[in-house]
Amino acid sequence: MLEPILPPWVAVAEAFGDPPEAALLPAEEAVVARAATRRRLAFTTARHCARLAMGRLGLPPAAILPGARGAPGWPPGVTGSITHTTGYRAAALSREALAVGVDAEPHGPLPAGVLARIATAAEAAALRRLPPGTHWDRMLFSAKESVYKAWFPLTGRQLGFHQAEIFFEPDTRSFSVGFLVPAPEVGEAGAAGFRGRFAVGRGLLATAVAVPDGRTRHAVLTSAIRAR
């Protein structure tokens, strides 16, 4: 789901279920010692995926503990994101990104009344113009989750649903992001990198944002120029 919509400098690992070999490290065990079975399984498999992705980056296994507002705590020099929903868990990590945010959701409509709480008037109008066959309301919710997961580690601040506007481009399976609040911690270059992609399949939808840092951005631009 996620690997095709993320750049090659992001390592992805995913699971459509909970493999028996998934296990927690001792420090992680303490976090979910009293959790319900469903929560424990999601937490365990998501950490399993994260360690697989860490291995693909050449990193040793490490505990991934929740930090501020539940955001995963990554090893130094690594940024990443975790998502889990019914039947799916995944992690995306990079050593070359300023920020990464991913989210997966069931491909179904949002509960009644939720869209009005998460969409600006412009977003709601844009959704009505999109082609049928995709639950764009749920896609908007997922995209806002991905954007927030990338935003929070950079800023340490909340981002309300109405503080960023997202518009989908179905032909390229991508979306643009515009912040409606100041973002000095992100900077102009970082804000410009907040574009995302989406995928639909296997009863799920997924969204992803990977913001390149300065070195990666230079390499991406150079590669694009040479390809012309």
Side-chain angles (χ1 to χ4, degrees):
M1 290 292 294
L2 286 174
E3 192 164 14
I5 61 174
L6 281 164
W9 34 271
V10 178
V12 176
E14 58 188 0
F16 291 89
D18 298 302
E21 66 271 20
L24 296 175
L25 297 180
E28 296 167 333
E29 285 277 4
V31 176
V32 290
R34 299 183 180 180
T37 299
R38 183 175 177 179
R39 158 71 172 153
R40 182 182 177 86
L41 285 172
F43 186 92
T44 301
T45 303
R47 266 62 191 174
H48 173 72
C49 290
R51 277 186 276 279
L52 290 176
M54 290 168 69
R56 291 166 191 171
L57 293 177
L59 297 169
I64 302 116
L65 304 177
R69 304 198 68 85
W74 302 110
V78 174
T79 187
S81 182
I82 284 174
T83 186
H84 48 77
T85 189
T86 303
Y88 182 75
R89 294 68 159 95
L93 282 71
S94 179
R95 302 171 92 165
E96 303 175 62
L98 189 64
V100 176
V102 298
D103 185 71
E105 302 284 337
H107 187 211
L110 286 174
V114 173
L115 181 62
R117 297 202 298 269
I118 70 166
T120 67
E123 288 172 326
L127 293 187
R128 291 192 289 269
R129 296 191 294 269
L130 294 171
T134 297
H135 292 287
W136 294 107
D137 56 345
R138 181 80 70 165
M139 189 75 79
L140 179 66
F141 176 83
S142 178
K144 292 208 170 192
E145 287 291 297
S146 288
V147 168
Y148 175 75
K149 290 178 182 180
W151 161 277
F152 183 74
L154 290 177
T155 66
R157 292 187 285 118
Q158 285 277 75
L159 182 70
F161 283 113
H162 291 152
Q163 292 181 321
E165 281 189 321
I166 291 172
F167 298 100
F168 295 102
E169 301 164 16
D171 291 346
T172 58
R173 291 185 169 266
S174 64
F175 57 88
S176 63
V177 181
F179 294 113
L180 305 181
V181 291
E185 306 95 333
V186 176
E188 291 185 12
F194 266 85
R195 285 188 57 84
R197 299 186 67 199
F198 64 86
V200 179
R202 300 182 67 158
L204 300 166
L205 57 82
T207 58
V209 174
V211 185
D213 67 13
R215 293 170 302 165
T216 306
R217 180 179 295 278
H218 176 75
V220 169
L221 290 174
T222 301
S223 176
I225 292 169
R226 288 174 177 170
R228 291 180 180 175

